[in-house]
Amino acid sequence: MTVQYIRPTDQGDLISALGACAAGQAEGIDTILRLEGGRLFGVARRMLGRGDLAEEAVQDAMVQIWRKAGQFRAEDGSARGWIYAVLRNRCLNILRDGRRLTTLAPEDLVALQEARQEAVPQEGWELLPGSGRLRDCLAQLDGEARHAILLAHVGGFSHGEIAGRQQVPLGTAKSWIRRGLASLRECLS
Amino acid sequence: MSLDPREMADDYVLGLMEPLEAAGFEARMEREPALARAVAQARDRLLPLDLSAPEAALPPGFAERVRAAIAAEPPAPTAANLPGLPARRWAPALAACAGLLAGLVLGWQRPEPEPLVIAVLLDDQGVPQAMVEDYGDDTAQVRFLADVAVPPDRTMQVWTLPSAEMGPVSLGILTEAAATRLEGPPLPRPAGRQLYEITLEPLGGSPTGRPTGPILGKGLAALQDG
């Protein structure tokens, strides 16, 4: 994995693109794919471990964005944050739809789980938040809490899966995450 | 369930809520601008984690496939049909509508027992689909407010979330989109803001005992006076 820095956002272009989608103009979708498509595909591949599932997730996300663009409120937060949240939801739906995953062969399922796990390394976690304040704030957390939060966000793991991976009771994993997130909010405010 | 909206927003954004809890939270977000804002802020706080994913080239022809997929969508999303009226601002109108419906239903019901709570279930476009009246004696009445098409290989199933600890509980299955009286399992007395929803499940109902299929409609209960 190479260090990735956050590009200057094309926030204005993305807001316009969502506005176009809400007005029924398909060019809006083209703009979003042109500006963010490669990164969205990268996020989906990292969380789903497989190119075919990732492609499905990005396509589903684009359809959702098309349908729901009118709900975006620029005064609440960034267009980018909204777009990536739609994609993350589609990825989580695929991961948590038992029937969807039963179409995969058992060895494929194992490979998928390993790829997700590897996406969230204990060593070298600093690559995940890039170089901004989020990294500084994550660095202040206990290692367990930080790893649990990264497993959830980057790997799409559930509370139960995180507890299993960190070999602690569910309640312990939940309280690590709750306290870690509270510290992050305070640090970033 | 935690009460701090910022804590709930973080759980929601991280994908740590149970599906039914997340559905209830989304319904609240549509009505509570402060909650929607807390979610947007939580997304932006954690966004750098997404932007670190290595870019990967989408396969050739991908944009065309997406174009074809959205061309197959019904024309113009709802919000686009309502310029200047964000979906969230419809909430008071819908609430008033629900109140009116509730009043009408209470009128029809007398002298029968009155429901303790009524929930109007909205689809993901905010359109009322059905209404659940829970009588608190382990019976509930479901009525449909829209023409609902159910695929022949699916059954509608009605759920409620008495508490986060109990998780979603089935109130029963519906064989057709018609007014139905359901007798469910013994449950705690229904409370205001309790979540109700109808999902589409395989014939005979959810194989897991929890909602697995797409949501036809969902809504939070309004406590009835008296």
Side-chain angles (χ1 to χ4, degrees), chain B residues 19-85:
Chain B
L20 202 59
E21 191 186 0
F25 187 76
E26 284 169 3
R28 275 188 65 189
M29 269 169 63
E30 286 168 20
R31 287 191 305 270
E32 298 178 33
L35 212 52
R37 178 168 296 248
V39 167
Q41 289 170 348
R43 283 175 184 149
D44 282 347
R45 271 198 298 276
L46 296 166
L47 182 61
L49 292 173
D50 290 328
L51 301 181
S52 69
E55 284 197 52
L58 282 161
F62 184 82
E64 287 71 27
R65 286 209 296 283
V66 170
R67 277 270 197 153
I70 63 175
E73 285 285 299
T78 309
N81 293 336
L82 307 166
L85 275 180

Side-chain angles (χ1 to χ4, degrees), chain A residues 16-29 65-67 69-70, chain B residues 67 70-71 74-81:
Chain A
S16 309
L18 288 177
C21 292
Q25 297 162 0
E27 294 78 10
I29 288 292
I65 288 167
W66 173 252
R67 283 183 198 156
Chain B
R67 277 270 197 153
I70 63 175
T78 309
N81 293 336

Side-chain angles (χ1 to χ4, degrees), chain A residues 22 28 56 58 71 94 165:
Chain A
E56 178 184 327
V58 178
Q71 297 173 13
I94 289 175
R165 267 170 180 67

Side-chain angles (χ1 to χ4, degrees), chain B residues 39-160:
Chain B
V39 167
Q41 289 170 348
R43 283 175 184 149
D44 282 347
R45 271 198 298 276
L46 296 166
L47 182 61
L49 292 173
D50 290 328
L51 301 181
S52 69
E55 284 197 52
L58 282 161
F62 184 82
E64 287 71 27
R65 286 209 296 283
V66 170
R67 277 270 197 153
I70 63 175
E73 285 285 299
T78 309
N81 293 336
L82 307 166
L85 275 180
R88 210 188 281 150
R89 298 200 187 129
W90 283 82
L94 279 173
C97 189
L100 188 65
L101 280 167
L104 283 174
V105 169
L106 288 178
W108 296 333
Q109 284 289 320
R110 280 190 194 97
E112 288 177 32
E114 295 180 5
L116 293 180
V117 299
I118 296 180
V120 176
L121 312 188
L122 309 180
D123 68 9
D124 59 3
Q125 302 285 327
V127 179
Q129 299 292 309
M131 184 166 64
V132 178
E133 299 150 78
D134 195 333
Y135 290 83
D137 58 359
D138 306 323
T139 68
Q141 175 82 36
V142 182
R143 296 170 200 277
F144 286 86
L145 305 174
D147 288 332
V148 171
V150 180
D153 59 343
R154 292 299 177 118
T155 302
M156 287 178 284
Q157 191 158 8
V158 187
W159 306 88
T160 190

Side-chain angles (χ1 to χ4, degrees), chain A residues 10 26 50-51 63 76 78 85 90 94 103 110 113 126 172 174:
Chain A
D10 303 297
R50 291 170 60 100
V63 172
D76 285 351
S78 74
R90 299 314 298 171
I94 289 175
T103 61
V110 171
Q113 292 296 67
E126 293 88 347
T172 306
K174 282 187 177 179

